[in-house]
Amino acid sequence: MSSWTYTSIALPGVKTKTLIIMRKIISFAHISLDGFVAGPNGEMDWININDEIFAHVEQRIGRTDTAMYGRKTYDMMESYWPTAADQPSATRHDKVHSEWYSRANKIVLSRTVKDVLRPNTTIVSDNIAEQIGAIRQQQGTEILVFGSPSATHALMQHGLIDGYWLFVNPVVLGKGIPLFSGNQSRATLELLSTRQFACGVTELSYVAGRQ
C-alpha cells in the first residue's frame, strides 16, 4: 500500500528538494465474469460473499483511512453502517466495518449534493481532477472507491484510477451496469496478487500503468 510521504535530501550548497508521492486511488468492486458490478436495475443479489471473504477484505480496509463513493452508494452506506453495530442481529463483520466506517474519511462524488453536515465527509461536485488531485497530496493511505460505477467512470475519464481490487463472481449477467464504461483511456495492468476462495470467487489485484 502506498501512503503520502515527503522525501527531502539536503546537500551542502544544494537547495533541498521535496518529492511528493501521490496517494493511490483503487477501484474496489465485486464484478461478474462479464464485467458488470450490478444488474440492469442495480441488482446485487448475485454477489457471493461470506465470512472467508469478509475476513480477507477487512485486513486491507482496516489499514485504509479514506473511502470514496458516488452519491447512490454513499446514501446506501449512510442508511446502514452508522448504526449497524447496534442492531441485535449484528455480525462480527457488521461491528468491525461499522467502527471503521465511523472513523474513515469519506469523499463523495456528486453533482447534486453540494454540502453535507456529516463528520469526516467531503463533497466533490465539480473540477474533479483538480479537487481529487489536491486530496491525493494530503497525508493518508490509499483511497478505496467502493463500487460506485458512475463515480468510477468519472475518475477513469480523468485518468485518476491507479489500481483495481476486484472480486470476480462465477456468474454471467449478460447485461447490467459495467465497471468499465468504454470512455476511459487505454491502460495496461500489472497483476499484483490473486486468490481463489472456496465459494468460487477470485480476487484480482492490479496496479494500472497508462499508455
Side-chain angles (χ1 to χ4, degrees):
M1 180 190 308
S2 296
S3 300
W4 166 99
T5 59
Y6 282 130
T7 301
S8 297
I9 302 173
L11 298 173
V14 178
K15 291 184 178 180
T16 299
K17 292 185 178 181
T18 300
L19 172 66
I20 300 177
I21 300 177
M22 304 284 275
R23 300 167 69 184
K24 293 187 181 299
I25 297 177
I26 307 297
S27 170
F28 168 39
H30 298 273
I31 68 170
S32 65
L33 188 60
D34 50 348
F36 296 107
V37 296
N41 299 307
E43 303 93 337
M44 293 185 289
D45 55 345
W46 51 271
I47 294 176
N48 197 341
I49 189 165
N50 56 21
D51 289 341
E52 183 188 15
I53 296 177
F54 279 141
H56 180 67
V57 300
E58 282 170 1
Q59 296 179 42
R60 183 170 181 174
I61 292 174
R63 298 191 300 266
T64 304
D65 64 11
T66 305
M68 188 180 297
Y69 307 102
R71 180 191 61 78
K72 291 181 180 179
T73 303
Y74 175 70
D75 287 345
M76 289 172 55
M77 298 295 164
E78 279 292 306
S79 69
Y80 184 77
W81 288 117
T83 60
D86 302 327
Q87 303 305 313
S89 60
T91 64
R92 176 193 171 278
H93 170 69
D94 287 335
K95 295 175 181 178
V96 170
H97 195 74
S98 180
E99 191 278 331
W100 174 84
Y101 185 85
S102 68
R103 59 181 165 81
N105 298 313
K106 304 166 193 66
I107 304 167
V108 183
L109 271 59
S110 174
R111 294 189 180 92
T112 57
V113 179
K114 299 300 181 182
D115 193 16
V116 62
L117 298 177
R118 291 177 180 144
N120 307 329
T121 302
T122 301
I123 305 297
V124 175
S125 57
D126 53 21
N127 299 321
I128 291 177
E130 179 180 342
Q131 292 196 57
I132 297 301
I135 291 172
R136 294 178 73 197
Q137 294 184 55
Q138 297 172 1
Q139 185 172 2
T141 66
E142 68 180 5
I143 300 168
L144 289 179
V145 184
F146 284 73
S148 307
S150 295
T152 301
H153 296 164
L155 293 168
M156 288 177 179
Q157 289 175 23
H158 289 283
L160 294 172
I161 296 291
D162 299 295
Y164 298 90
W165 186 27
L166 307 178
F167 289 79
V168 183
N169 285 252
V171 60
V172 175
L173 297 182
K175 56 183 178 180
I177 301 172
L179 175 63
F180 298 97
S181 66
N183 293 323
Q184 69 275 357
S185 300
R186 175 179 173 179
T188 57
L189 303 175
E190 177 186 350
L191 180 64
L192 299 180
S193 64
T194 182
R195 174 170 173 169
Q196 179 73 52
F197 294 92
C199 63
V201 171
T202 300
E203 174 199 30
L204 299 173
S205 181
Y206 291 100
V207 64
R210 298 175 184 84
Q211 291 185 349

